[in-house]
Amino acid sequence: MSDSLEQHQPHTQSGVVTIHDACPTFSKRIFELADELERLKIKFNIALVPFFNEKQDLPRFPEFVDKIKSYKNCQIVLHGLYHEMKNGQFDNFHETTEGNAEEQIRAGLEIFHEIGIKTNVFIPPAWKLNNSSIKVLEKLGFKLAEEQEEYLLLLSHQEYKKIKLPKVLNWDSTGYPEKNIVNMARDERAFKLQIEERPQIIRIALHPRDPAEAIKDQTRMISILKDSAYEIPTYAELVPKLEN
């Protein structure tokens, strides 16, 4: 891993759409979001939680898993281990030790293996990672990880690059749809600014606890991206662009 992080930008402009917090608890809303994106023929990613709340071990929910795997225009990626633990705290990949990070990430991968899913992309809950967690991701062969605060991390066995990005557009800051309504105007302003500045990558994060009305804004933003000549790739399609 290099000590000095290289600023790097891909040449093509991309809009990356990801449904977060996918787990049986939120299955109804997750499927509504994914069905709408498929109806609109929009490529997307699903950030899947292997063992939500230390209760929902995915192999015990085969119908949920089969539905998630049935989507054709999407890529499934690892979203922590529990996402939220029994005590309500998020998985901590930004203050943890290397040993603890490896234990949790390996456990998530083992659950994915059991349900027949492979991934080399990791999205930590709250988009936060420390160097110890990054070392583990490199060791385990991940190609891509994502942080909220301006950077996308491109990982390899020798070094990683930080790729400067605008902050991800995110409507869920409280965990409660009715409280998250306050984020709609904020994200509208942020999106307009990003479209004016035309960065190389704009990220849209959909959550099951977004305000119900947010999906209209989100799909409209995605349509604007497409009309503005932004490609809408999955992470697997994005990685080669970032490696150039």
Side-chain angles (χ1 to χ4, degrees):
M1 181 169 58
S2 62
D3 294 328
S4 60
L5 303 183
E6 177 184 346
Q7 296 287 330
H8 179 76
Q9 289 284 4
H11 299 296
T12 58
Q13 292 176 309
S14 300
V16 181
V17 180
T18 305
I19 300 175
H20 286 244
D21 305 355
C23 63
T25 288
F26 303 125
S27 59
K28 182 176 184 293
R29 184 60 176 159
I30 294 295
F31 296 153
E32 287 173 352
L33 293 170
D35 289 345
E36 180 65 8
L37 294 177
E38 283 226 325
R39 185 184 71 80
L40 296 172
K41 295 182 171 56
I42 295 167
K43 292 181 180 179
F44 61 100
N45 307 281
I46 294 178
L48 183 62
V49 184
F51 199 4
F52 182 75
N53 202 221
E54 301 181 73
K55 297 176 182 176
Q56 295 187 346
D57 187 356
L58 287 180
R60 296 192 297 109
F61 298 89
E63 291 183 3
F64 171 81
V65 171
D66 288 345
K67 177 69 172 175
I68 289 289
K69 292 168 67 176
S70 72
Y71 291 107
K72 305 301 182 185
N73 292 318
C74 85
Q75 180 183 357
I76 301 169
V77 303
L78 184 61
H79 195 27
L81 176 59
Y82 308 116
H83 192 280
E84 297 165 31
M85 294 174 281
K86 290 179 181 177
N87 61 9
Q89 297 297 309
F90 279 5
D91 290 349
N92 181 349
F93 291 100
H94 60 285
E95 295 174 337
T96 191
T97 64
E98 187 173 340
N100 285 337
E102 182 165 355
E103 182 179 352
Q104 290 194 54
I105 294 168
R106 283 190 181 277
L109 288 174
E110 287 173 6
I111 292 173
F112 267 31
H113 178 74
E114 189 172 347
I115 60 176
I117 294 174
K118 294 182 179 180
T119 187
N120 58 13
V121 176
F122 184 76
I123 302 179
W127 291 282
K128 294 181 180 180
L129 286 169
N130 64 7
N131 285 336
S132 295
S133 296
I134 293 170
K135 287 180 182 178
V136 171
L137 293 171
E138 290 182 312
K139 175 182 177 180
L140 297 179
F142 282 81
K143 295 288 288 183
L144 194 70
E146 193 171 86
E147 286 186 330
Q148 185 182 40
E149 299 298 328
E150 302 180 324
Y151 292 100
L152 191 72
L153 299 180
L154 179 65
L155 306 176
S156 73
H157 292 295
Q158 284 113 8
E159 63 179 1
Y160 67 87
K161 299 173 184 176
K162 280 194 171 182
I163 301 162
K164 187 170 177 61
L165 298 175
K167 190 173 181 179
V168 62
L169 297 170
N170 168 38
W171 285 254
D172 180 11
S173 62
T174 72
Y176 298 94
E178 64 277 8
K179 293 182 180 180
N180 284 329
I181 290 175
V182 299
N183 296 325
M184 293 184 65
R186 179 204 66 189
D187 282 298
E188 179 72 24
R189 291 192 298 270
F191 178 73
K192 287 180 178 178
L193 180 60
Q194 290 186 27
I195 281 291
E196 289 174 4
E197 294 178 347
R198 294 194 65 83
Q200 292 297 320
I201 297 176
I202 293 177
R203 295 170 294 160
I204 296 178
L206 284 59
H207 288 79
R209 289 176 282 195
D210 290 344
E213 310 94 304
I215 187 63
K216 294 180 181 178
D217 285 354
Q218 292 158 347
T219 53
R220 177 177 52 80
M221 290 175 185
I222 296 166
S223 295
I224 291 171
L225 287 176
K226 294 173 71 175
D227 292 342
S228 302
Y230 273 77
E231 296 180 1
I232 312 292
T234 63
Y235 287 117
E237 294 168 332
L238 182 66
V239 167
K241 302 176 188 297
L242 299 177
E243 290 177 328
N244 292 334

